[in-house]
Amino acid sequence: MSVSELNELMTYVVEGWMLFSAGFISTTFIAFVSKRIQEDIQAAAIAQTEDSNLTLSSGVTDTEDLTVTEAVQAVSTQLATPSSPTAAFPAPSTLNDSKDATEIDTEIDAETEAKETARLEEVAAVSEKLAKEKQKQSGSSSVSVST
């Protein structure tokens, strides 16, 4: 093998290695950027779903001015004063216990209220956690890709 042939072979090897390296780096970069974009989209969808669930379950129309805990307290007070407790739980015709129908309705309302309050507090905690994560993500620098 002559020197010129060896020089040509080494030129092809070096150029091939450069093309391979550039392709690998660009593929890795594109995968990283697309992963970050997908995470941002998923976080936004989860936050939007949680916000809509909180708004729908709370029954409060002006939630922009309320914090999450104030919204939970507002819903708890709304639950504490039911409009018609006997409509939701009709009294049975015969009772085997010594309790009357109003005591049973009161116990059922208290249990329902406790469950609803616990659920709303859990939703509030998740919403606060997502808000903190969103603030942390918005504080970090993001990579933008232009074509």
Side-chain angles (χ1 to χ4, degrees):
M1 190 182 271
S2 68
V3 174
S4 63
E5 291 174 344
L6 183 63
N7 189 17
E8 187 176 338
L9 175 67
M10 290 307 293
T11 302
Y12 287 131
V13 168
V14 169
E15 286 178 357
W17 182 255
M18 287 175 35
L19 287 173
F20 173 76
S21 298
F24 179 76
I25 291 171
S26 64
T27 304
T28 306
F29 178 74
I30 290 171
F32 170 76
V33 170
S34 66
K35 181 180 174 184
R36 286 293 304 257
I37 290 171
Q38 286 177 346
E39 288 174 352
D40 290 344
I41 290 171
Q42 288 175 351
I46 290 171
Q48 184 179 11
T49 303
E50 288 296 325
D51 287 343
S52 66
N53 285 345
L54 181 64
T55 303
L56 291 176
S57 67
S58 68
V60 178
T61 56
D62 296 329
T63 55
E64 291 90 17
D65 298 335
L66 298 176
T67 62
V68 175
T69 55
E70 289 173 345
V72 169
Q73 290 173 351
V75 171
S76 297
T77 56
Q78 288 177 356
L79 289 175
T81 58
S83 59
S84 126
T86 57
F89 301 102
S93 58
T94 58
L95 294 174
N96 294 334
D97 295 309
S98 61
K99 298 178 183 179
D100 62 344
T102 57
E103 290 178 6
I104 292 175
D105 285 343
T106 306
E107 289 177 7
I108 291 174
D109 289 340
E111 291 174 12
T112 305
E113 180 181 340
K115 288 178 184 177
E116 186 68 20
T117 303
R119 187 185 69 79
L120 288 175
E121 288 174 358
E122 182 181 349
V123 168
V126 170
S127 296
E128 289 175 1
K129 181 181 175 186
L130 286 173
K132 287 179 184 177
E133 288 179 9
K134 188 174 182 181
Q135 284 178 344
K136 188 169 69 172
Q137 279 187 349
S138 67
S140 65
S141 63
S142 62
V143 179
S144 62
V145 178
S146 61
T147 56

